[in-house]
Amino acid sequence: MSLNVGIVGLPNVGKSTIFQALTSAPAEAANYPFCTIEPNVGIVQVPDERIDKITEFVKPQKVIKAVMEFVDIAGLVKGASKGEGLGNQFLGHIRQVSAIAHVVRCFEDSDVIHVEGKVDPTADIEVINIELAFADLETVDKRLNNLGKVMKSHDKKLKQQAAIAKPVLERLKVALEDGKPARSVEMDDEEKEAISDLHLITLKDTVYVCNVDEDSMTEDSDNEHVKAVKALAEKEGSKVIKICGKMESEIAQLETEEEKSEFLADMGLEQSGLDQLIKTGYDMLGLQTYFTAGVQEVRAWTFKKGMKAPQCAGIIHTDFERGFIKAEVYHCTDLFELGTEAKLKEAGKFRIEGKEYLMKDGDVVHFRFNV
Ligand SMILES: Nc1nc2c(ncn2[C@@H]2O[C@H](COP(=O)(O)OP(=O)(O)O)[C@@H](O)[C@H]2O)c(=O)[nH]1
Ligand SMILES: [Mg+2]
């Protein structure tokens, strides 16, 4: 299963508009040979002021930024879990993604038809979440039915696993039947592990993306629709961001970074909604960035939170992990403060770390290895 964010929502809420804006400046495919790109799968560059700043200090010939994947999933409708509107197929796609960006229509526009007839974000979210919960319910029911057989088998290990899974599946069933997401059910690590292979949709981290009109984007206060979404999200511990799909597609057509910054400044905005969406997605996936910085190339590397130095070295090349000796590390914020490697050393900020070093977001690293 790859690490990606699926864009989900009712039809006509602006999913494809947002996806197209996200992927309008395609990441240079040559730098990312690992990605096979399908029409609804986009590789997106992760905006990161830190790499821009490192570049000012190091002045490399080449800069390679971190990337992540977004998937545009076709709109779900009421009854999807029963197969309405190609429902099962789309639900299958959602099961494959690692986190969810749920786009909600918060803009008024009589030219754009709303499938339910009026703009009502809480009701819209409910429609989708109930379909997702019912899809999960089916998965949970299937597993529960199977457990009976497993309990009767002679395989001790299987029986043991089933004994752990049973009570948590039963709790999940109660919540899902009530239309509540699986993430609302408390589970310990052992229980989470016991059901992890089910890939429950409503267990995935979710950000609600309020697609608002231009005015609501530039005003400080939220419109009523956004307020309603925030209230709902707070109850389930999900994140919320505001985006204006229409404006993002205009920004996406601008050629240079300068033009984009100017456009945002004119609107009184610090960063685009898209940038915020990408950063939130990256974070939901548990991803962090370390940098390698040389005059030939400054590059951002993506790792999973909690990885140690040798594993991180292995992301560059398996030889780096196999022959790992040590890592020379400093944090980018120390570079910004002190300016040169000599000063970093003087201040004791340039460190030699070993195999047990837990890598930090923003570390600048040089790995020493021997194969
Ligand atoms: N007024 C307005 N229209 C939008 C916005 N975002 C998308 N639309 C329009 O809404 C319609 C549906 O958008 P689309 O992205 O295809 O929705 P999808 O079905 O969720 O993928 C299109 O006509 C878009 O131009 C927005 O922020 N404001
Ligand atoms: Mg679409």
Side-chain angles (χ1 to χ4, degrees):
M1 189 183 252
S2 56
L3 283 172
N4 51 20
V5 174
I7 303 176
V8 173
L10 288 176
N12 250 9
V13 295
K15 297 183 299 299
S16 297
T17 305
I18 291 170
F19 177 80
Q20 272 152 22
L22 273 172
T23 52
S24 65
E28 231 178 288
N31 288 333
Y32 311 104
F34 53 85
C35 49
T36 43
I37 304 175
E38 289 166 52
N40 66 330
V41 180
I43 304 295
V44 177
Q45 248 174 32
V46 181
D48 191 336
E49 306 78 22
R50 298 171 305 177
I51 195 168
D52 301 332
K53 240 171 154 179
I54 293 172
T55 305
E56 286 170 26
F57 283 95
V58 181
K59 303 204 173 27
Q61 289 161 18
K62 195 170 154 196
V63 180
I64 302 181
K65 297 189 174 179
V67 289
M68 64 172 290
E69 196 178 297
F70 280 88
V71 187
D72 184 16
I73 297 168
L76 283 175
V77 293
K78 208 178 264 182
S81 59
K82 302 273 170 291
E84 291 289 326
L86 293 176
N88 282 325
Q89 197 181 325
F90 299 156
L91 286 165
H93 291 158
I94 303 176
R95 222 165 263 131
Q96 296 307 314
V97 300
S98 327
I100 291 174
H102 184 156
V103 179
V104 194
R105 176 161 167 180
C106 295
F107 64 88
E108 306 277 354
D109 185 338
S110 51
D111 289 340
V112 180
I113 292 168
H114 187 291
V115 281
E116 302 282 335
K118 68 173 191 314
V119 179
D120 182 349
T122 350
D124 289 0
I125 290 174
E126 203 106 294
V127 168
I128 298 283
N129 284 354
I130 283 177
E131 292 309 323
L132 300 181
F134 283 177
D136 279 348
L137 180 60
E138 206 172 299
T139 312
V140 165
D141 271 337
K142 251 189 223 153
R143 178 59 58 91
L144 271 170
N145 289 338
N146 251 328
L147 279 188
K149 244 187 268 162
V150 178
M151 294 291 218
K152 277 184 225 132
S153 89
H154 295 292
D155 188 327
K156 256 199 185 143
K157 190 144 180 253
L158 275 182
K159 269 166 104 164
Q160 224 170 18
Q161 280 168 346
I164 297 169
K166 191 160 185 276
V168 62
L169 286 168
E170 280 163 355
R171 291 201 315 273
L172 283 166
K173 185 175 160 77
V174 173
L176 293 166
E177 274 172 344
D178 205 19
K180 293 203 187 91
R183 56 183 177 274
S184 69
V185 175
E186 269 185 55
M187 287 180 250
D188 63 28
D189 289 343
E190 198 181 43
E191 290 173 326
K192 274 184 202 158
E193 179 60 34
I195 58 141
S196 66
D197 64 324
L198 292 180
H199 300 304
L200 294 180
I201 299 169
T202 62
L203 206 52
K204 297 177 201 283
D205 253 355
T206 298
V207 55
Y208 291 105
V209 180
C210 299
N211 190 10
V212 298
D213 39 42
E214 277 114 325
D215 290 346
S216 314
M217 195 68 209
T218 49
E219 278 162 14
D220 282 336
S221 58
D222 294 326
N223 70 25
E224 291 310 309
H225 298 319
V226 177
K227 278 187 192 149
V229 176
K230 282 193 173 162
L232 182 148
E234 200 183 335
K235 266 191 240 154
E236 49 170 86
S238 297
K239 299 172 193 71
V240 179
I241 60 173
K242 268 199 300 191
I243 229 174
C244 173
K246 209 173 177 185
M247 189 161 100
E248 295 297 342
S249 52
E250 284 164 28
I251 298 175
Q253 277 158 25
L254 300 173
E255 303 249 318
T256 65
E257 286 303 315
E258 288 75 47
E259 282 177 299
K260 287 182 187 177
S261 322
E262 231 169 79
F263 186 106
L264 287 172
D266 281 350
M267 304 294 279
L269 296 170
E270 268 173 35
Q271 66 172 348
S272 79
L274 277 193
D275 284 0
Q276 218 189 326
L277 172 59
I278 301 168
K279 285 181 185 169
T280 307
Y282 198 70
D283 189 51
M284 280 201 298
L285 297 177
L287 300 177
Q288 295 186 323
T289 305
Y290 74 82
F291 305 99
T292 49
V295 285
Q296 289 203 341
E297 176 186 288
V298 166
R299 180 162 185 163
W301 300 87
T302 298
F303 66 100
K304 275 290 260 187
K305 222 176 274 179
M307 274 190 174
K308 291 181 177 170
Q311 279 177 289
C312 283
I315 294 168
I316 300 179
H317 197 291
T318 49
D319 281 353
F320 281 35
E321 181 169 4
R322 204 154 46 86
F324 180 89
I325 301 171
K326 60 189 179 184
E328 298 168 357
V329 189
Y330 58 86
H331 198 266
C332 67
T333 50
D334 291 326
L335 173 71
F336 304 152
E337 194 182 314
L338 298 165
T340 65
E341 222 168 77
K343 288 237 174 82
L344 285 164
K345 282 183 180 156
E346 217 172 277
K349 301 288 186 189
F350 187 103
R351 302 155 356 244
I352 308 293
E353 301 283 1
K355 287 195 161 124
E356 289 304 314
Y357 178 63
L358 208 57
M359 294 276 284
K360 289 194 190 66
D361 187 41
D363 273 346
V364 183
V365 194
H366 182 77
F367 293 111
R368 295 261 174 235
F369 69 102
N370 186 7
V371 282

